[in-house]
Amino acid sequence: MGAYQDAWARSVEDPSAFWGEAAELIDWYQKPTRVLEGDATRYRWFPDGQMNTCYNALDRHVAAGRGEQAALIYDSPVADVVQSYTYAELLDHVSRFAGVLRELGVTQGDRVVIYMPMIPEAVVAMLACARIGAVHSVVFGGFAAHELAQRIDDATPRVVVSASCGIEVNRVIEYKPLLDAALEEASHQVEHCVIVQRPQAVASLRAGRDLDYAQAVAGASPVECVALAGPDPLYILYTSGSTGRPKGVVRDNAGHAVALRWSMPNIYDTHPGQVFWAASDVGWVVGHSYIVYAPLLTGCTTVLYEGKPVGTPDAGAYWRVIAQHGVRTLFTAPTGFRAVKREDPNGEHVARYDLSAFRYLFLAGERLDPETFQWASDLLGVPVTDHWWQTETGWPIASNLMGLEPMAPKAGSATMPVPGFDVRIVDESGQPVARGTDGLIVVRTPLPPGCMSGVWGSDDKFQQFYLSQYPGYYLTGDGGHFDEDGYLFVMGRVDDVINVAGHRLSTGAIEEIVAGHPDVAECAVIGVADELKGQIPRALVVLKAGVQREHGLIEAELVERVRHQLGAVASLRQVNVVDALPKTRSGKILRKNMRALADGVDVPVPSTIDNPVVLENLRAVLRPE
Ligand code: COA
Ligand code: AMP
């Protein structure tokens, strides 16, 4: 048996033994006597262990002599800054900011919302929360006020940490007015906001509520880590589901630290002292796990890149950062590579840089299309690994384990289940399907450490959304198949979640915003294929009887409404007024058929639309140009 098969079999046959061994990779104040407690529906990892994630990410490395090694390199082509922080310096920043939070009354279990661009203070704020046992909830900076307000109301934070602005290529996006609008909209009242003032835009602060980050830190005393129980929550990260309301995925402390620390050598073949770069955003799960926690838990140098793959300043940005900082492993989304390929199809920028330290490219966030896989493999001459994961799991469910036992990759496949994940393919009735047949992808519970420990605010929702459909299994929401060699092919979501440029969005959330327009009677939002972004949303709307306004005007208002309420990341560009939406007799909108038509597949639309002219108009609107 190879190293992979052996590890995978041990991990599912005796998870306690497997993860008990992996737990040696982190430092404990009190070692756990039990590894896994509970049954397949309610379980906890390392229930009686005592540890602190921030201690494991910073203090222990300084104590072990890594104090002078770079922990974080902030590289911002948009702010024209490159700044390196050693482990000792980062520890100092974090323990002081933890002191600021303490002075503001934040204690263990309190929530802190972090709404930040990609600046070091975002990482500092996350680790400072971890240090004192506060639960952070980072909200992606591309979300607008309404989305932020929803998350504030759900997480009910005592404090919000934010910045005066973000920078999108050459456009300054002021965050403070968005934050103020969100706080206005939210029912929950936060006590304080701590604002990083960036030189590109200085925010006005509300006396009594808002504090200037730099001033607050200057007057703060450093604080030490608190000992936390393994299952205590580290963070909440909201993600899109089928409904309009985001779900707060909760991650524990110990399981998370153990799983991420294990993943670095075994999946990413990346080790203490090496440079790891996840070109993502701290607002997404990839940013949480692989910009912040996994590299720091491992004693690596992590790169925090505030820029884009193209346009900051050119399509050589990936190669410039890799060469300048000696990056060994790059992790990003396929859409970033498609953007580079579009601008520099022959990869001419590569020749300008020394990529000799570069060993691995990992891609996730959406399916890696075979063409991009081939292009990147040919261009870079390093292994290109597609790996599949979700906010809920926090680390990869399927991957090529480059450290444990690399396998020959197959284009279009995320390779094999990672140890800990017992992945099965079932049909709608929960019966296993044959190899080669597409079905629903489920994972036998308990999920391994590092995966969600619940949905914030409700034990029942974890059951309801993920565990109740097929008892004993976690429903991933993705569809796909195993091939005859046991390689997993993840083909896409089977629900109303769409993936736009690696950003996960809910069509339900967009529909809610569109439906709120006074002229709209009903609407459907579908994800359609897009060459660059993988998918983009399209909205079809039926107007209320008697609305006489010009359709073009209403369509433009709807685009603006979504941009304003959800954020520009929604990338909704096309809205069409139609006479009717196709529905089943029971009233269910036939989104799947419309999606197929929009992707150029000529499917029948068996629906309540009896009028052939109305139906043909709908087909014409959806047909790709
Ligand atoms: N704050 C404010 N606005 C933001 C934002 C942020 N943090 N992130 C994105 N936006 C805005 C963009 O400026 C853009 O606005 P526009 O419509 O006015 O141009 C809009 O949201 C859409 O952004 P995006 O989807 O990023 O598209 P793009 O055309 O600007 O760039 C790519 C295309 C492919 C270069 C870009 O999407 C990309 O780098 N994707 C990789 C994403 C990724 O790494 N995801 C992590 C998963 S691992
Ligand atoms: P997120 O929670 O934002 O990480 O998005 C998770 C979703 O992205 C998954 O449910 C998949 O639909 C999709 N996804 C992520 N990685 C992959 C991949 N490697 N292959 C196919 N789909 C992926």
Side-chain angles (χ1 to χ4, degrees):
M1 203 189 283
Y4 162 74
Q5 273 304 337
D6 176 57
W8 187 84
R10 280 193 297 123
S11 75
V12 296
E13 280 157 20
D14 191 352
S16 288
F18 187 86
W19 294 111
E21 212 175 282
E24 300 290 330
L25 293 166
I26 70 159
D27 286 8
W28 301 87
Y29 298 123
Q30 191 180 303
K31 286 202 174 188
T33 60
R34 280 164 293 144
V35 173
L36 177 62
E37 181 179 80
D39 58 25
T41 54
R42 278 175 213 276
Y43 52 87
R44 301 185 320 153
W45 289 97
F46 309 110
D48 63 352
Q50 297 264 319
M51 50 80 70
N52 182 286
T53 298
C54 181
Y55 179 84
N56 275 278
L58 298 177
D59 304 62
R60 69 161 169 169
H61 301 310
V62 175
R66 279 189 194 282
E68 296 315 306
Q69 180 199 308
L72 182 141
I73 298 171
Y74 167 54
D75 185 309
S76 174
V78 294
D80 197 18
V81 178
V82 175
Q83 194 176 350
S84 181
Y85 297 78
T86 64
Y87 268 97
E89 286 164 346
L90 192 57
L91 174 59
D92 182 56
H93 284 282
V94 168
S95 43
R96 278 179 202 284
F97 192 63
V100 171
L101 293 176
R102 258 291 160 72
E103 276 169 36
L104 294 178
V106 177
T107 57
Q108 186 179 336
D110 283 341
R111 274 79 57 215
V112 173
V113 161
I114 300 174
Y115 180 59
M116 303 277 262
M118 287 282 287
I119 55 176
E121 290 85 349
V123 179
V124 169
M126 291 166 78
L127 291 165
C129 289
R131 194 167 188 82
I132 59 171
V135 181
H136 62 69
S137 186
V138 182
V139 178
F140 175 58
F143 282 130
H146 174 67
E147 290 290 315
L148 178 58
Q150 282 193 336
R151 287 156 175 79
I152 288 172
D153 271 340
D154 196 74
T156 61
R158 200 177 267 268
V159 168
V160 176
V161 186
S162 187
S164 57
C165 68
I167 309 164
E168 278 292 296
V169 187
N170 47 18
R171 202 157 39 98
V172 172
I173 315 251
E174 293 200 32
Y175 277 32
K176 188 62 181 5
L178 298 172
L179 172 60
D180 286 339
L183 292 173
E184 191 73 24
E185 181 183 329
S187 327
H188 173 73
Q189 294 298 305
V190 307
E191 291 166 24
H192 293 285
C193 300
V194 187
I195 309 293
V196 177
Q197 294 283 20
R198 303 188 77 186
Q200 293 79 7
V202 176
S204 59
L205 304 184
R206 186 184 294 180
R209 186 193 71 184
D210 302 343
L211 285 83
D212 176 302
Y213 182 100
Q215 279 174 12
V217 170
S221 312
V223 299
E224 290 304 316
C225 295
V226 299
L228 299 170
D232 282 345
L234 171 67
Y235 70 75
I236 308 166
L237 179 57
Y238 288 89
T239 191
S240 306
S242 292
T243 64
R245 297 239 143 219
K247 284 182 289 215
V249 166
V250 181
R251 195 92 58 211
D252 66 4
N253 269 278
H256 173 254
V258 170
L260 293 189
R261 180 65 188 86
W262 185 90
S263 74
M264 286 297 275
N266 288 289
I267 298 179
Y268 299 99
D269 191 21
T270 303
H271 307 272
Q274 297 178 336
V275 184
F276 190 91
W277 177 26
S280 175
D281 189 289
V282 287
W284 303 117
V285 66
V286 172
H288 280 62
S289 295
Y290 290 100
I291 295 175
V292 184
Y293 288 111
L296 297 178
L297 287 165
T298 306
C300 292
T301 300
T302 187
V303 179
L304 183 76
Y305 175 68
E306 188 184 26
K308 299 262 177 183
V310 294
T312 54
D314 56 35
Y318 283 142
W319 331 130
R320 196 271 299 161
V321 175
I322 290 172
Q324 190 167 340
H325 306 305
V327 171
R328 172 182 175 85
T329 313
L330 168 63
F331 176 174
T332 191
T335 188
F337 264 72
R338 288 196 298 270
V340 172
K341 179 164 130 239
R342 193 163 74 167
E343 286 208 4
D344 183 19
N346 300 320
E348 282 161 15
H349 282 289
V350 171
R352 294 165 52 206
Y353 299 100
D354 170 10
L355 303 188
S356 54
F358 186 44
R359 292 283 179 283
Y360 296 107
L361 171 62
F362 284 84
L363 296 166
E366 55 178 317
R367 181 162 182 262
L368 173 59
D369 52 287
E371 200 188 325
T372 306
F373 168 77
Q374 208 52 58
W375 183 81
S377 303
D378 294 345
L379 180 67
L380 297 170
V382 300
V384 176
T385 300
D386 177 14
H387 60 333
W388 169 54
W389 53 304
Q390 311 185 313
T391 304
E392 289 85 343
T393 64
W395 64 297
I397 312 164
S399 184
N400 201 339
L401 285 100
M402 300 312 290
L404 187 62
E405 185 189 355
M407 298 179 201
K410 287 194 189 188
S413 168
T415 316
M416 302 217 180
V418 165
F421 291 95
D422 188 353
V423 177
R424 311 283 177 92
I425 314 284
V426 297
D427 64 18
E428 293 275 349
S429 66
Q431 294 306 309
V433 303
R435 286 211 167 168
T437 308
D438 274 321
L440 308 171
I441 312 180
V442 296
V443 184
R444 204 156 69 93
T445 51
L447 296 176
C451 295
M452 69 191 294
S453 55
V455 173
W456 180 252
S458 161
D459 277 353
D460 294 344
K461 283 190 184 153
F462 186 24
Q463 292 288 321
Q464 184 194 331
F465 293 142
Y466 299 101
L467 304 180
S468 63
Q469 289 84 346
Y470 303 105
Y473 294 90
Y474 161 81
L475 183 69
T476 65
D478 281 304
H481 62 268
F482 279 112
D483 75 359
E484 62 287 358
D485 299 322
Y487 279 62
L488 182 65
F489 287 74
V490 181
M491 305 309 289
R493 298 289 303 195
V494 293
D495 54 14
D496 297 325
V497 168
I498 57 172
N499 240 292
V500 181
H503 310 311
R504 174 167 160 184
L505 301 171
S506 148
T507 53
I510 304 175
E511 281 177 6
E512 234 176 69
I513 296 169
V514 172
H517 187 286
D519 292 344
V520 172
E522 59 177 352
C523 71
V525 172
I526 54 174
V528 303
D530 180 77
E531 215 178 301
L532 174 67
K533 298 195 175 187
Q535 274 185 307
I536 45 166
R538 273 191 69 179
L540 296 144
V541 300
V542 177
L543 300 182
K544 286 181 181 158
V547 171
Q548 299 293 339
R549 300 173 61 221
E550 203 191 308
H551 289 179
L553 205 64
I554 299 173
E555 290 164 355
E557 282 171 9
L558 289 170
V559 167
E560 184 47 38
R561 189 178 168 87
V562 170
R563 192 180 168 87
H564 181 73
Q565 289 196 25
L566 196 150
V569 282
S571 299
L572 177 70
R573 305 249 189 277
Q574 199 176 350
V575 178
N576 292 103
V577 172
V578 294
D579 295 320
L581 292 172
K583 293 180 190 165
T584 61
R585 301 280 159 204
S586 61
K588 206 164 173 277
I589 296 176
L590 291 166
R591 291 185 177 75
K592 205 166 147 191
N593 304 52
M594 289 197 284
R595 214 160 47 218
L597 290 174
D599 288 344
V601 185
D602 196 16
V603 293
V605 187
S607 72
T608 44
I609 302 181
D610 302 326
N611 183 333
V613 177
V614 171
L615 193 55
E616 185 39 43
N617 284 347
L618 180 75
R619 282 177 171 279
V621 160
L622 286 168
R623 209 170 282 138
E625 277 136 26

